[in-house]
Amino acid sequence: MNSSIYGWHLPPNVSAHGAAIDQLIHVVHWFMIALFIGWGIFLLYTLIRFRERPGRTASYESAKSKLPKLVEISVVLFEVFLLIGLSIPIWSKVKNEFPPAADSLVVRVVAQQFVWNIHYPGPDRLFGKSDPSLISDSNALGIDWNDPNAKDDIASINQFHFPVNKPVIVYLSSKDVIHSFAIPVLRVKQDAIPGMRIPVWFEAVQTGQFEIACAQLCGVGHTLMKGYVSIDTPEEFENWVKEQEAAKNL
Amino acid sequence: MSHSEHQSFWQKYIFSVDHKVIGCQYALTGLVFLFFGFCLMMLMRWQLAFPGEPLPVIGGLFSDTTMPGGVMLPEFYNSLGAMHGTIMVFLGVVPLAVGGFGNYLVPLQIGAPDMAFPKLNAASYWCYFVGGVVMFASFFVPGGAANSGWTSYPPLSDIATMGQTFWLFGMVALITSSLLGSVNFIVTIVHLRARGLSFFRLPFFVWAQFVTSFLLLLAFPPLEVAGVLQLMDRLAGSSFFLPSGLVISGTPLGVSGGGSPLLWQHLFWFLAHPEVYVLILPAIGIVTEIIVNNTRKPLYGYKTMVYSVLFLGFMSFVVWAHHMFMTGMGTTMSNFFQATTMIISIPSVVILTVLILTLWGGSIRFTVPMHFALAFLPMFAIGGLTGLPLGLTASDIPLHDTYYVIGHFHYVVAPGTLLALFGGVYYWYPKVTGRMMNEKLGKIHFWGSFLCLNGIFMPMFIQGLAGVSRRLYMPTVYAHAEAVQGTNVFMSYSAWILGLVQLIFIFNFFRSLKKGKKVESDNPWQATTLEWATPTPPPHGNFLQEPEVYRGPYEYSPPGRTEDFWPQNEEK
Ligand code: HEM
Ligand SMILES: [Cu+2]
Ligand SMILES: [Cu+2]
């Protein structure tokens, strides 16, 4: 993993939807900076000009100018634009417009203190049954390996491989406490909440190795709950799947 | 009215029912807890700047269950974080801002002899005190103090060590205290105003406390209920917040299940969002008083300010779920909450504009309190502006639960509220003690605090944009965090210097009690509001004769008068 890609800025973006989010962040920050500097200059000017001096008295009358109203109204209008023009459309796309499952890689991610379990359904696209009573040290997901649908399933710990340029749908859940599934370079973050199964989707546009972080305090090992994503070429991904299948049947 | 001569020390200073004594008790206890909460943070800042290295000198004082060999354990780090948040919010700022300033000043500013229910007032302080003792004691129980964050999200908090039970009992006591206090404030403001003091003649500080009291009254009961439910989950085997099928470290949890972890979050944030305004409104009130007094000019838009805080108070009840955008809520919900969040930013913009425009045309005195009040404006602006990318759901995705959030709300509550509260201490100190605090030390305290606070919190935005999660015991684990680790070192030095600078304040505070310059009149700042119409310090019962009010609170520099201020109670 190349760590020099990180620094005093947003992490690089490798997802299809991330560019729009980054753009929103940039727009908001330029707006904030402009407003702050404008206010700041006005404040400093006022403080200097109206400092207490011998022979000057304060005026009882208030400043009469339309300018403040105009500034307030333009702030409001700009916020409306940010909301309706940028934020709501981006959010709706990310949260509502899921790609068809048939064209996507669908996986389950089950968080637990303090690892990420990833469950691939295999070529049959069907997840084998899983049951909490089957959970053991070697079977963290509690998969029923006797279920025919489970024959080609793969369970992976902290290693999340998926192909580039193909949508990935993750069904996120948790076995114990609340965690948060965060992949900074993909602009993905979603709480993993026990008792809920929450879908997330994204599509990577660039290959590489990156980190999964847990973004919600989940106990004493919270900092160490680090996973890895590996965004592979389709061939690399095929090979990885084959390796995992082979390892499973040993 | 004054029978204080016959009272023993205990009756007079400890179990007093005089709002001023209770106010001072609140303020001093609050200041002590603020410093304590800050010390917890200074410890954490060692771990953040130099992860895993033993803390020199002080490190040796800690037990093996917290910092063996001076190296902080992650469970202790988590306790420190959770307790820092809890202590700062519930034991530091609110007691100082509402219990301290509110108690001392509201009856004086409305011309009342005391609060409406003096005994309830004392009961409120003692509930707070009990809550504080319970929270403090929790550091010494097995497993240490609560360690699930100040938000105490279940299931983590449901299965946490004993400290969490203490936290819950402490919270129940603190909430009870706030409820008793808020009822008292509301009745006092409605019923005990002096003759002639209509609502629209109230000093703005009183309005701020009035709205704050409603927030406390309406928002706290849901959290009290939630706290009791979590206690049941922990002690009585219920599962209000525990869904079925939980497996903790490989073993199924033996509870009936069927509960919802999100229920807690809704109840918690239904309180905790309005709570943010409880932290900020009294500060805005204080800043308004100081700015108007030092500008020698009426407030630019008194009614605009009043309507803005009323609107702010109301809206603060319909934005809570913007803390929960990442919990998987549907788009209808999230669009509603991001829209309300944008709307609530408007009154804040209006309030800032009013305060800045008040300065225009004034004759500005740069006193020590004025330094603090003026600094509040840009700090509050940064805090408010950085709320925008968090309130917009799309940009919240990468920023949620990162240091960006920590930077955002600290700009509101630390450089914002804390500076305002310090300003308030300098401003009303002469009323309470009859002496001024030293001006030179005050200015050193101001500049030191102002620079260090920015040195701590500004880099948090960089960390947050770089993607660094909050509540990280070992930040260097992640590559994107390692890349900004230098900022952590800088922030920690700023925090420790900030600690040293506070010693100047503490020294000044106590030395001025004996050595400070005596005030020459009861009204050293030449102010207009009623608290300055009392003797200094005000006796039990406050006013020598019942005051009557003839005009609005901020008649500064009215035309045709020789003096540049016209007190509310002066007939001519
Ligand atoms: C002035 C000095 C202060 C410093 C240096 C400071 C620093 C910090 C830092 C670095 C964190 C993040 C800890 C972590 O993520 O592990 C934090 C958390 C927090 N702080 Fe402060 N803070 C200060 C004052 C305040 C004040 C005045 C308040 C409230 C009124 C406050 C409320 C909180 C809360 C609620 C949290 C979140 C705790 C949690 O994660 O559960 N802080 N503070
Ligand atoms: Cu986790
Ligand atoms: Cu975690």
Side-chain angles (χ1 to χ4, degrees), chain B residues 3 21 31 70 72 93 251 294 367 477:
Chain B
H3 40 81
V21 178
L31 281 166
M72 187 177 291
V93 173
T251 348
N294 285 284
T367 59
V477 163

Side-chain angles (χ1 to χ4, degrees), chain A residues 9 29 50 52 56 58-60 68 72 79 87-88 91 96 175 178 189-191 211 215 222-223 226, chain B residues 247 265 296-297 326 331 334 338 342 345 353 361-362 364 397-398 400-401 404 471 474 477 479 555-557:
Chain A
H9 46 71
H29 279 82
F50 296 105
E52 184 179 39
R56 257 206 74 238
S59 75
Y60 182 73
E72 279 167 8
E79 285 184 12
S87 184
I88 291 181
W91 178 261
N96 280 351
K175 279 158 61 171
I178 299 176
K189 187 173 288 146
Q190 172 62 55
D191 290 356
E211 288 170 342
H222 165 60
T223 337
K226 179 167 83 161
Chain B
V247 181
Q265 296 192 16
R296 319 305 296 163
K297 195 173 159 298
M326 297 305 132
T331 40
S334 60
Q338 66 176 329
M342 291 302 113
S345 71
T353 312
I364 303 169
I397 296 173
H400 182 81
D401 264 334
Y404 198 93
R471 298 170 170 174
M474 197 58 102
V477 163
E555 289 299 304
Y556 285 102
S557 305

